[in-house]
Structures are given as C-alpha cells and as structure tokens.
C-alpha cells in the first residue's frame, strides 16, 4: 500500500467485482478516471466486518488524497483514548492542536448525529407500519368477536351449567393467545421475506437523501423479532379483550341470543360515535400544545384515526338508511335486503367497514400529501431552476454533491459560445454550535435573488445584505429545526475561527430536510481556503436552444472530466425521479394497509355467510336463485365498500392535513401547499368498492353453493 | 299433483350412513290436504325439502305438478319453487330485516318488480290473516302467532300450486296453534290448493283429507277417525 495508486478491498467485494489480486482497474472519482491496483485482500473475521468492508476500497492516505483530489487534507482522524486523567489530558492537547475548521467529537456524538439525520424518516416508516397494525387490530377484534359469537350457545350453556366467568375468559383469551402467537410467527416470517424487498427501497431513499449506505440484505436482530412478537401478541390480546369480556360476562341467557348482541351494538353505536368524536377533538387539542414533538403529532394522528373508526358504525347506519331507497330502486328487494343486512349485522359489518375506511383514508391521506408535496416541488423547481444548462460531477448522493469540478473545465465551460451568464455553487459541511451544517457558497448569475421565494425577510433587503454585507440566508427546514429567524446571527466555524453571520432571509427549499445555509461566494472565499466548485449553471444567450448548448458543453468537456451536463428539463425530471423514488416505500406500505383491510372484509363476509345461512335458506325456499344470492352478496359488499370509500374521503383529507401541516412540518420543516386531486378521490372510492366486492366473491360462491336444506335442517 | 317414484335418501353421519327413505313411493292429488305423521327424525321435513327441490334424493324421481324436479338444475328448481311452492316453517322464518309487508311480497319481488296492485293484494291478504295494521312492523315486534300468520300469507301470496307446511304449530301454544291451523286450512281450501302438512300431532293431522305415517322409510296410510 506504500506504492502509489494501490488499494485493498475485502475478498467478497473483490469476488463480486471479479477483481484479481495484482490486477489494475479504472475507477471513476467525481468524473475523473483513475487507475488503481489491487494489492491485497481483507478476509473479514465475522459478519459485522464483512458488512462494514462491503463496497469499500482502502488505501494509504497519500493515495486517497491523490485519488480524491484533496492533497494535504484529512477528513477525519480517529483517536483511541484511554479512560481517566491521561485520556482527558490527551483530549485537551488534541483540542488545542487541531485547526479552527476542525472539531473534536466523541464517536457516540457522531453516531447520534447520523441517527438524528434519518430519525424523522425512520419515525415516519414506523408510523406507517403501526397503521397497518391498527387496521389489523380492528380485524382481530372482529375475528374474536365472531369467534365468541359463533360459540355463544356453548358459552351460554356452560354458564347455565355453572362455569365461572373467569374460567371462560381465561379459556377464550388462552385460545386468542395461541392464535395470536401463530399469526405473529407467520407475520414474522412474512415480514422477514418482505424486508428483503423493502431494504433496497429504503437504502435507495437514504442514499438519495442522506448518506451512502450499502445494504444488500435485511439483517434481523433478535430484538426486532422480539419486538414484533410482543407487538403481534400484545395487539391481538388487546383487541380481543373487549369482545371476550363482553361475551363471557353477559348474563347466561343473553349469551345465547344473537339478536341481543346485535341490538346492543345498535344501541352502542351513538355512544361509540360520541367517544370517536371526543377522541378526534382530543387529537386536535394535542396539536395545539406548543411543541415540535413528532411523537405527539403521531399520537394525535392515531387518535383521529381510531376516533374516525369509532364513528363508522353510526355513519354506516345512517348511510344505509339514506342509500336503501336508491338500492331498492336499482336492485329491488335484493337492494333493500342488502342495505338492511349491513345494518342488521352491524357487529360484523361495522368493524369491516371501519377497517376498510381506515385503510382507504390512509391511502387518500398519503396520496393527497404526496400529490401536494409533488406539486409544491414542481412549482418550486419551476421557480428555482432559472438557468438552461447545469453541469456537475457524478454524485453518489442525489441531493448532496461533494465532488468538485476541475477549475480549468469551469472556466472553459463558462466561455462556451452561446452562454450569456453563469452561476456557481459549492456545498460543504461546516461546524456550528448546532453541529454540522450544510453551507452552500453561491455566485449568482444576476444581481438579485432570482429563483428564491422568501418565507421570512424582504427579498431586496436580503439581497443587499447577502451581496454586500456578508449576511447569509437559510433554508426553511434549517430555520425550523434550529428555530432561527431573520436578524439573528449564526456562528459558523470558518478556517479563520468561529464567525457570526447575520441571517438576512429564510427561503423555501426542498433539496434536503437537513436544510442549508447559503452564503455569497466572495464571503465564503474570505473565510474558507477552499476554491472548489461542484456545480455550474449556464444561461443560454437569446436564440440559443438549451439542447444545443448541452451538446456544445458536452463537446467542450470531452476528454477533461466526466461530468453530468443536463438541461433545465432533464434536471427537473431527474429531481422528480428522486422524489418519486423516495415515496415508493410509502406506496408499498399503503398497499399493505389496503390488503389487511381486504382480508378484514373477506373475514367479515365469511362470518356473515355462516351466520345468515338460515336466512338465505329461507330466501332460497321462497325462490331465490343462486344468481340472486350472488347479486345480494355483491350488492351488500358494494354498499359496504361504497360507505367505506365515501367516508374515507373526509377522513383522508383530515389525515392529509395533519400529515402536511403537522407531521411533515415537524419531521422536515417544509411548508407545503395542499392540493386536492379529484382523480385520487374517485380512485379511492373505486378501490374501496372493488376491494369489498372482490372480498365478497368467495363468500358469495360459498353461499350460492350451500344446499338450503342443510341450513334449514339446523332448526 | 305430487308423485314420488322409488325415492331413496341417506345421510352420512360420521362413518355410518343413516337411511331415511328406501324406494319410497307415493302420490298426492290436486286440491288435497295431506298430513304426514311420524316420530322426530323419521324424515318428514326431509321429504318436504325433497319435494320442494331444496335437497336432492340419492335415487328416484319426484314429480310436482307434472314437472320432474329431480331432473332440474339448482337454478331451475329455484325458479320452479318461486312459481309453484309456498313454504310455512315451524320457526316462522320471516326475514328479520324486512317489514311485514316486505316479507309478504318477497316471493313476488324475487320474481319481478312489484307494482301498486301487488301492494293492494298484500294488504288484502294481511287483512285476511287479521294483520292489516301491522304492514309496516318488523317481525321481531310480532307475537309468535302473528309471525306465523304472516308466514302463511307469504306462502300464499304468489298463488302457488303446492303449500308445504313443516310443523306450523310446533312453536305455538295450543290455542294460538289451533287458530293458525284453522286459518291455514281455510285459506288453502278457499284457494283449492294442495297442501302437505308435516306434524307429529294426530289432532292436527285429523283435519287433513288424508293422513300418512312415515315409518321405516315408507309411507303408510292411516285412518285417524278410527283411532280417535
């Protein structure tokens, strides 16, 4: 490794790249091609080392500095310090020895800042997963309810024979525990398989937004599995407690009568709705607390979701009363039977509709949020991307470029025929009292803030302060996160020591949720010794087509440094591609919630099929054909889906508002304009009706095939 | 009206097969009221289900009003029941989610869209069973006797050729049972319809034109007048 241009890598990485020992390969470093020779292989001792060394090239410092174009600079020095006084003394000496631009921090603090970077992202994913669990809990409640109702005769008889309530409750909960355990184990296996696919999506998002990460497979810690087990079994027990207590504590005779259970549900519907409304109000009140807590925001969202779920049975009763005339006019007695049947079996249908409503409203909520976000970004890109052609070295992190452009190339490209103006940017991480911040040094092409919209501060005044007085402007997420505002001073560690910079404005920016500080290039050069540039924006002279200019720039860059030359349109498309990729994981989780709800509707209808066997047999005895049975079930599921779909729209918009104005703000600090796309609403109703109708196919088939005599014989 | 030719039926009970009928033959004429007597579990209700096409025999043929229902598909049997058969059950079996008038009109509504004349007919029929003021009530607020009267009206509303009554008084007290039975017989005779009545009570069966006993899978004629 003491020889120039030599590197070492791990044996598995070399094997994957088919790179033999002693072989020389070409590597691309920020657009510049370099030649390196593999001189040794590292054999990882364990799995952790294998992961740590994956996709990593190790070289001597001199080689790294040459390869990366950072001669004479070190990015980090790791110190192993002894505990106690001698260690403290060593740290003091180190602190005194390091230059002003560097900082001394513990490994734990460094790890904390990495964890902090993705905290909001992780919390959002956790919340979405918990949402699927909440939908699942509704279904567990439904299933246990059904299970105990199915055996109400058995329970009633045992009670009449003198079996105690506690014994019965223990029996029911013991059974639920076993089922919950079996379901959770299946869930853990399914989750492990799913994680294999999802890990790629999450890794891509982290690479796009935060830092470079190589994860090829999901690693499951025993703690994660244990958490899953506790959550699965705990949620099952929690959801089943109410129906189990209700069934085993009912007076012995009542336990036998289904009609009593249903009428009790009907009477309980207004009370449940009142509790739901109270929960929604409580959720709203939580948001009024002066806090930036994301956990509190999610508690509020969950309160609203569960509150809306509790409102569903009453809304179902009212909706069916309203829909019945139309259903009757369209499908005759079958429509009327279907509408009445939904209300008559409210203990089944209510929960299924609530589960479907929640799943679809989450879809609507996330859909509105993503659409609003996307529309905001599109408008922001329209405003921000003022130049015609953008040049940058290839970056590993889409939203963060640390590679630099060859200064000779920069000058050469500025002089490209057809260029009327140019701007440069340079982004670096700098130390501040708030930890590491992203600083962008900008040399604008014009003499004002073109393409910047200010959230706070006056544009002209901000420009003058930025241009002439050395002030900085900060992006909205940074101002929100650090509670900064115009007129305050931000202390940054420069190569000349700590310096305060006045904040002249807060601007809207959607590049990164970490936020950034923007400074004029001249000011930057005054305080930092860095002269590098990582982005060049060129404006075409009038009459020059941007695509022509792209071609000319590419021709002039050829043979010097491999750079990305993109037109305004291409950069916009690339930005939106990163945006869309970021939300792929969200779409997957949305789909999961809908699938869980689909299973809910299916199980509710299966339960109905078992319960209503005799009623259907009577209808069959009176001449109902198997086709009419299909029609009846389809009409009923369609109505259930319709109610869930329609109800999911206001709930979805409410959730979207919470996500846009609270969750997003507290997670990332962005201001988003809310957009309500009608197509999304139509789609939601269709998905709800479609999911319900599809879920009804199997029960309908079963009902149509069951010989009526068998059900009548059960008399 | 009803002809049974070599009808056999057995039910599988675990490993064993329980034979209900073995080569059962029988004929019931048009306009006749026939009572079927027998012990619990001897197959009386099963015979009604077979005649109604709600179940299929293992062997043999069943003809109702000249139509061989054993040769029909499930769909065809449903359509046939809709026109030709009216059912009265022991447990009334009204649809709890439908009002009295809607229950009454159910067999017609399954056939076609109902019109004002159907409503008038339903109200007339309700008047005949003494429940003209309960058209808008739901079944759960009616007494057992009232529910069975609605069930009788439902069995007759579409003017079927055959009425199948499965222990219609089995769930009623003596006096109410007597009133309901009287109503059922009166209305059936007025319309000159055929009725097969399943009962385990010789007193109920005594009012019928003919009485059969179902024993060991065979129909045996009985003379109740002598017995009583």
């Amino acid at each position: 490794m003491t020889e120039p241009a030599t590197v070492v890598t791990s044996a598995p990485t070399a094997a994957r790249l088919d790179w033999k020992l002693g072989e020389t390969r070409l590597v691309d470093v920020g657009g510049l091609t370099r030649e390196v020779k593999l001189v040794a292989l590292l054999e990882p001792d364990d799995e952790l080392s294998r992961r740590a060394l994956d996709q990593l090239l190790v070289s001597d410092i001199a080689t790294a500095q040459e390869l990366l174009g950072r001669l004479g600079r070190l990015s980090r020095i790791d110190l192993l310090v002894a505990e106690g006084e001698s260690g403290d003394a060593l740290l003091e000496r180190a602190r005194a020895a390091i230059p002003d631009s560097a900082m001394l921090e513990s490994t734990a603090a460094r790890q904390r800042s990495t964890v902090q970077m993705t905290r909001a992202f992780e919390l959002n994913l956790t919340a979405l997963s918990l949402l699927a669990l909440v939908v699942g809990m509704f279904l567990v409640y439904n299933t246990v309810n059904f299970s105990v109702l199915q055996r109400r005769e058995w329970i009633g008889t045992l009670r009449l024979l003198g079996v105690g309530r506690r014994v019965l409750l223990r029996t029911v909960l013991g059974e639920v525990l076993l089922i919950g355990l079996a379901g959770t184990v299946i869930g853990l296996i399914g989750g492990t398989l799913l994680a294999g696919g999802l890990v790629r999506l999450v890794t891509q998002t982290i690479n796009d937004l935060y830092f470079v990460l190589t994860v090829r497979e999901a690693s499951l810690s025993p703690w994660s599995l244990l958490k899953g087990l506790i959550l699965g079994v705990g949620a099952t027990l929690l959801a089943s407690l109410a129906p189990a207590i209700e069934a085993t504590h009912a007076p012995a005779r009542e336990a036998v009568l289904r009609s009593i259970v249903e009428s009790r549900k009907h009477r309980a519907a207004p009370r449940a709705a009142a509790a739901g409304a109270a929960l929604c109000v409580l959720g709203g009140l939580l948001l009024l607390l002066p806090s930036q807590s994301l956990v509190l925001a999610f508690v509020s969202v969950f309160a609203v979701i569960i509150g809306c779920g509790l409102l569903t049975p009453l809304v179902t009763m009212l909706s069916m009363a309203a829909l019945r005339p139309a259903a009757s006019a369209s499908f005759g007695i079958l429509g009327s039977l279907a509408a009445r049947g939904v209300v008559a079996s409210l203990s089944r249908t209510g929960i299924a509709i609530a589960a479907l409503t929640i799943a679809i409203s989450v879809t609507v909520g996330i859909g509105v949020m993503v659409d609003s976000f996307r529309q905001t970004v599109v408008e922001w890109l329209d405003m921000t991307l003022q130049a015609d052609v953008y040049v940058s070295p290839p970056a590993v992190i889409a939203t963060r470029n640390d590679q630099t452009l060859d200064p000779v190339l920069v000058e050469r490209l500025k002089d490209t025929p057809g260029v009327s103006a140019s701007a440069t940017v340079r982004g670096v991480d700098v130390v501040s009292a708030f930890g590491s911040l992203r600083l962008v040094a900008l040399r604008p092409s014009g003499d004002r803030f073109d393409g910047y919209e200010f959230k706070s501060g006056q544009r002209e005044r901000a420009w003058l302060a930025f241009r002439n007085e050395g002030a900085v402007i900060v992006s909205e997420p940074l101002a929100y996160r650090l509670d900064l505002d115009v007129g305050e001073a931000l202390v940054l560690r420069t190569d000349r020591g700590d310096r305060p910079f006045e904040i002249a404005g807060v601007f809207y920016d959607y590049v990164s949720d970490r936020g950034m500080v923007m400074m004029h290039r001249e000011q930057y050069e005054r305080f930092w010794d860095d002269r590098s540039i990582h982005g060049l924006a060129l404006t075409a002279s009038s009459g020059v087509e941007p695509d022509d200019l792209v071609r000319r720039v590419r021709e002039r860059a050829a043979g010097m440094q491999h750079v990305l030359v993109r037109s305004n349109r291409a950069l916009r498309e690339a930005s939106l591609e990163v945006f869309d990729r970021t939300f792929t994981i969200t779409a997957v989780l949305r789909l999961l919630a809908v699938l869980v709800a689909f299973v809910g509707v299916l199980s509710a209808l299966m339960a109905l099929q078992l319960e209503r066997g005799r009623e259907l047999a009577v209808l069959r005895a009176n001449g109902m054909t198997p086709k009419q049975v299909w029609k009846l079930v389809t009409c009923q599921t369609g109505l259930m889906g319709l109610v869930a779909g329609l109800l999911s729209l206001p709930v979805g918009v409410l959730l979207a508002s919470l996500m846009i104005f609270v969750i997003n703000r507290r997670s990332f600090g962005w201001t988003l304009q809310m957009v309500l796309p009608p197509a999304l609403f139509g789609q939601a109703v269709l998905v709800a009706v479609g999911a319900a109708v599809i879920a009804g196919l199997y029960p309908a088939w079963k009902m149509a095939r069951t010989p009526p005599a068998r059900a009548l014989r059960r008399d | 009206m009803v002809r049974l030719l070599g009808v056999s039926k057995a039910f599988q009970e675990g490993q064993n097969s329980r034979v209900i009928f073995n080569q059962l033959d029988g004929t019931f004429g048009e306009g006749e009221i026939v009572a079927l007597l027998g012990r619990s579990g001897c197959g009386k209700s099963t015979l009604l289900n077979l005649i109604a096409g709600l179940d299929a025999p293992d062997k043999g043929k069943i003809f109702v009003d000249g139509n061989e229902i054993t040769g029909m598909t499930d769909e065809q049997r449903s359509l046939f029941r809709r026109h030709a058969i009216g059912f009265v059950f022991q447990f009334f079996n009204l649809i709890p989610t439908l009002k009295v008038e809607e229950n009454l009109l159910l067999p017609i509504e399954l056939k076609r869209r109902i019109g004002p004349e159907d409503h008038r007919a339903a109200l007339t029929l309700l008047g005949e069973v003494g429940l003209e003021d309960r058209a808008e009530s739901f079944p759960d607020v009616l007494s057992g006797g009232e529910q069975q009267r609605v069930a009788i009206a439902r069995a007759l509303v579409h003017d079927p050729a055959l009425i199948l009554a499965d222990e219609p008084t089995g769930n009623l007290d003596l006096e109410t049972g007597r009133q309901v039975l009287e109503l059922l017989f009166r209305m059936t005779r007025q319309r000159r319809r055929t009725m097969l009545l399943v009962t385990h009570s010789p007193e109920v069966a005594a009012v019928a034109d003919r009485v059969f006993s179902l024993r060991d899978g065979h129909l045996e004629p009985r003379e109740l007048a002598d017995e009583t």
Side-chain angles (χ1 to χ4, degrees):
Chain A
M1 282 171 71
T2 52
E3 286 176 27
T6 55
V7 293
V8 170
T9 192
S10 73
T13 303
R16 200 167 45 249
L17 297 171
D18 193 23
W19 195 356
K20 305 275 183 309
L21 211 56
E23 202 177 271
T24 301
R25 286 272 174 102
L26 295 178
V27 293
D28 189 310
V29 185
L32 297 168
T33 306
R34 311 279 192 210
E35 204 170 68
V36 290
K37 183 178 172 187
L38 185 64
V39 292
L41 292 175
L42 295 166
E43 292 291 350
D45 282 341
D46 51 32
E47 183 58 19
L48 195 66
S49 307
R50 188 185 70 75
R51 284 168 192 271
L53 290 170
D54 195 26
Q55 297 273 81
L56 202 68
L57 286 185
V58 181
S59 76
D60 178 66
I61 286 176
T63 302
Q65 286 177 334
E66 273 172 22
L67 286 174
L68 300 170
R70 294 170 66 85
L71 288 176
R73 293 189 81 88
L74 295 176
S75 54
R76 198 174 85 217
I77 300 172
D78 290 338
L79 296 178
L80 287 175
V81 183
E83 295 278 340
E85 277 181 27
S86 62
D88 291 343
L90 178 73
L91 286 177
E92 271 315 304
R93 288 217 309 282
R95 198 166 278 126
I98 58 172
D100 285 344
S101 57
M103 69 183 283
L104 195 68
E105 71 177 343
S106 67
T107 311
R110 200 177 157 75
Q111 280 169 347
R112 261 201 310 276
S113 65
T114 309
V115 170
Q116 185 71 21
M117 213 182 275
T118 52
R119 194 183 65 92
F121 178 64
E122 192 183 332
L123 193 62
N124 276 285
L125 287 186
T126 308
L128 271 174
S129 317
L130 284 176
L131 210 58
L133 189 74
V134 167
V135 175
M137 280 174 74
F138 271 88
L139 303 183
V140 171
Y141 173 86
N142 207 12
T143 309
V144 175
N145 211 0
F146 173 61
S147 155
V148 290
L149 284 173
Q150 269 287 93
R151 286 174 295 168
R152 59 192 183 276
E153 266 182 57
W154 174 79
I155 292 172
T157 308
L158 287 178
R159 294 271 295 109
L160 287 168
L161 289 172
V163 177
R165 287 168 175 162
R166 284 189 178 184
V167 176
L168 276 173
L169 185 65
R170 269 207 302 274
T171 311
V172 172
L173 288 181
E175 189 184 300
V176 164
L177 186 69
L178 280 177
I179 295 171
L181 208 57
T184 305
V185 169
I186 295 169
L188 288 176
I189 296 168
T192 310
L193 295 174
L194 192 67
L198 290 181
V199 76
R200 210 162 298 158
L201 287 175
V202 175
T203 308
Q204 182 63 56
T205 303
I206 292 177
N207 278 342
D208 281 343
L209 304 181
Y210 303 105
F211 43 79
V212 179
L213 192 68
T214 309
V215 185
R216 293 187 187 280
E217 64 223 38
S219 103
L220 271 177
S221 69
W223 173 232
S224 290
L225 290 174
L226 187 67
K227 264 197 300 192
L229 196 70
I230 293 169
L231 266 180
V233 175
T236 310
L237 282 176
L238 192 69
S240 54
L241 209 55
I245 289 174
E246 192 184 328
T248 53
H249 281 61
R253 212 190 99 69
E254 278 189 23
V256 181
L257 295 174
R258 178 83 180 87
S259 58
I260 291 179
V261 175
E262 279 307 333
S263 60
R264 198 183 295 147
K265 291 283 169 204
H266 284 213
R267 282 199 307 276
R271 286 202 301 274
L279 213 52
C280 290
V281 171
L282 184 73
L285 288 176
L286 281 180
L287 297 179
L288 295 178
L289 294 176
S291 163
Q292 285 193 9
S293 165
L294 197 51
V295 174
L296 205 62
F298 275 120
V299 169
S300 165
V301 168
F302 276 84
V304 169
I305 288 175
I306 295 169
C308 291
L310 288 171
L311 279 166
T312 312
L314 184 68
V315 175
T316 302
M317 286 169 74
L318 299 174
S319 313
M320 284 303 150
L323 286 170
R324 198 176 144 256
S328 185
S330 310
F331 302 101
I333 189 79
L334 297 180
S336 184
L337 273 173
R340 287 249 176 84
V342 171
V343 179
S345 305
L346 197 65
S347 65
R348 307 267 151 281
T349 54
I351 300 291
I353 293 174
L356 191 59
T357 302
I358 289 175
I360 301 291
S361 59
V362 168
T363 304
V364 171
I366 294 176
V368 169
M369 187 267 285
V370 173
D371 275 8
S372 303
F373 202 162
R374 200 175 197 280
Q375 187 59 32
T376 307
V377 170
V378 166
E379 283 173 19
W380 172 76
L381 284 172
D382 284 346
M383 185 186 68
T384 311
L385 298 181
Q386 297 272 322
D388 296 302
V389 176
Y390 294 85
V391 185
S392 62
V396 187
I397 304 174
T399 58
R400 219 176 110 112
N401 200 339
D402 286 324
Q403 307 300 330
T404 57
L405 289 169
D406 181 345
V408 180
L409 178 70
V410 172
E411 291 311 313
R412 184 175 159 79
L413 295 184
K414 277 182 185 173
D415 292 338
T416 306
V419 170
S420 67
S422 65
T424 63
V425 286
R426 164 66 171 151
V428 286
D429 288 332
V430 294
V431 176
S432 77
F434 303 105
S436 174
L437 297 181
R438 188 73 177 167
L439 173 68
V440 173
L442 171 77
R443 189 189 296 281
S445 56
D447 216 18
R448 60 199 170 99
F449 276 129
D450 273 339
Y452 290 89
E453 192 72 43
F454 282 85
K455 181 180 170 66
S456 125
Q458 204 262 331
R459 179 191 292 262
E460 282 73 29
R461 160 79 195 94
W463 169 254
L464 289 175
F466 178 82
R467 177 71 190 85
N468 306 325
E469 298 160 24
V472 294
I473 56 173
V474 296
S475 71
E476 187 193 17
L478 189 75
Y480 180 80
R481 188 160 57 88
L482 305 182
D483 197 19
L484 300 172
D485 209 345
V486 174
E488 292 175 16
L490 180 64
V491 178
L492 300 176
R493 181 158 301 174
T494 73
D495 288 347
R496 318 273 173 270
D498 285 354
R499 298 279 163 170
F501 295 91
E502 190 206 334
I503 298 171
V506 177
F507 65 102
Y508 291 109
D509 178 84
Y510 301 91
V511 171
S512 139
D513 60 347
R514 300 288 301 152
M516 65 170 87
V517 182
M518 196 170 279
M519 180 181 282
H520 197 281
R521 179 81 193 190
E522 284 176 12
Q523 180 78 344
Y524 176 69
E525 288 185 359
R526 195 172 305 146
F527 289 101
W528 279 270
D529 298 327
D530 176 30
R531 297 293 175 266
S532 312
I533 286 169
H534 79 226
L536 175 66
L538 303 171
T539 308
S541 310
S542 91
V544 176
E545 283 297 313
D547 286 346
D548 279 344
L549 190 57
V550 167
R551 190 178 42 76
R552 285 182 212 173
V553 169
R554 280 189 184 142
E555 281 169 9
R556 285 175 78 86
M560 292 189 73
Q561 180 180 5
H562 172 61
V563 286
L564 290 174
V565 182
R566 287 179 286 195
S567 67
N568 181 309
R569 189 177 35 119
L571 187 59
R572 265 174 56 109
E573 281 166 7
S575 304
L576 290 174
E577 197 182 306
V578 171
F579 178 91
D580 293 337
R581 216 158 47 204
T582 308
F583 283 100
T584 316
I585 177 83
T586 321
V588 173
L589 290 172
R590 273 160 75 187
L591 189 67
L592 268 185
V594 174
L595 273 180
V596 174
F598 173 81
V599 173
V601 179
L602 180 71
S603 68
L605 289 170
M606 290 296 289
L608 280 181
Q609 180 242 325
L610 280 172
E611 273 176 13
R612 295 178 56 204
R614 200 165 95 212
E615 190 180 315
L616 275 169
V618 173
L619 288 167
R620 295 292 314 276
N622 278 289
M624 178 180 271
T625 61
K627 273 184 198 156
Q628 284 177 313
V629 173
W630 273 94
K631 207 169 160 183
L632 174 67
V633 177
T634 310
C635 189
Q636 193 161 55
T637 49
L639 282 171
M640 286 169 70
L642 186 65
V643 171
L646 291 175
L647 191 57
S648 70
L649 301 185
V651 180
V653 172
L654 184 64
L655 286 180
S657 312
L658 289 174
M659 283 190 257
I660 289 172
F661 301 118
V662 184
I663 302 283
N664 157 70
R665 186 108 183 99
R666 291 188 185 180
S667 299
F668 311 111
W670 284 313
T671 297
L672 306 179
Q673 272 93 46
M674 194 163 172
V675 177
L676 297 175
L680 185 78
F681 296 153
Q683 203 182 26
V685 176
L686 279 180
V687 167
V689 174
V693 169
I694 292 170
L697 291 181
Y698 178 65
W701 179 77
K702 285 273 284 181
M703 287 187 210
R705 273 176 57 95
T706 306
R710 192 184 296 168
L712 287 172
R713 256 201 308 274
R714 285 186 198 134
D715 282 1
Chain B
M1 179 70 201
V2 178
R3 200 146 56 96
L4 309 166
L5 291 177
V7 174
S8 298
K9 180 76 183 174
F11 288 118
Q12 203 62 36
E13 290 177 350
Q15 298 289 323
N16 305 320
S17 174
R18 188 163 70 92
V19 177
I20 308 292
F21 312 121
N22 192 10
Q23 296 290 322
L24 181 86
D25 293 313
T27 307
F28 314 116
E30 195 166 341
E32 215 178 11
I33 294 184
V34 177
L36 295 175
L37 273 170
R39 287 180 291 107
S40 294
C42 70
K44 302 185 296 289
S45 299
T46 303
L47 185 60
L48 288 198
N49 287 340
L50 290 175
I51 292 170
L54 291 171
D55 208 348
D58 301 329
K59 267 198 289 191
K61 290 181 178 178
I62 300 171
F63 294 87
V64 178
D65 209 13
N67 301 288
E68 192 206 330
I69 60 160
T70 37
M72 293 179 184
T73 62
D74 194 6
E75 182 85 11
Q76 287 168 331
R77 286 200 302 268
S78 302
L79 294 172
F80 178 72
R81 269 197 303 276
R82 202 185 262 187
H83 292 279
I85 291 173
F87 250 111
V88 182
F89 300 94
Q90 178 183 355
F91 293 101
F92 329 133
N93 282 338
L94 299 178
I95 306 295
T97 54
L98 296 180
K99 291 176 186 173
V100 164
E101 194 197 1
E102 290 169 328
N103 260 290
L104 204 62
L105 289 169
L106 181 68
I108 301 176
E109 278 218 78
L110 288 173
K111 223 182 326 189
R112 59 173 168 78
R113 204 164 269 279
I114 51 168
E117 70 285 358
D118 296 309
H119 285 288
R120 277 196 296 277
L123 288 176
T124 309
L125 205 50
L126 273 179
E128 277 190 60
V129 298
L131 293 170
E132 60 271 56
D133 55 338
R134 308 306 290 269
E136 290 299 307
S137 303
F138 280 98
D140 59 355
V141 298
L142 302 184
S143 69
E146 287 174 325
Q147 288 193 49
Q148 196 61 306
R149 280 191 273 160
V150 177
I152 290 169
R154 183 179 67 184
L156 294 167
V157 73
H158 55 305
D159 204 20
L162 176 65
I163 294 150
L164 301 172
D166 191 356
E167 307 228 19
T169 60
N171 208 30
L172 300 172
D173 63 68
L174 208 62
E175 180 54 25
T176 313
R178 196 187 54 72
Q179 290 170 4
V180 164
L181 206 62
E182 193 188 310
L183 181 75
L184 181 63
F185 274 67
R186 179 165 49 81
M187 292 180 79
T188 310
R189 286 196 197 285
Q190 271 174 1
R191 288 167 172 74
R192 294 193 174 82
R193 296 296 162 212
T194 307
M195 176 160 76
L196 286 184
L197 172 82
V198 161
T199 179
H200 57 262
S201 157
E203 289 77 21
V204 172
V207 199
D209 300 333
R210 280 202 294 161
V211 181
F212 287 89
S213 223
L214 195 56
R215 193 175 296 159
D216 300 328
H218 292 284
L219 283 171
E220 294 172 1
R222 275 178 72 169
E223 292 296 331
L224 287 180
D226 297 347
E227 292 175 27
T228 51

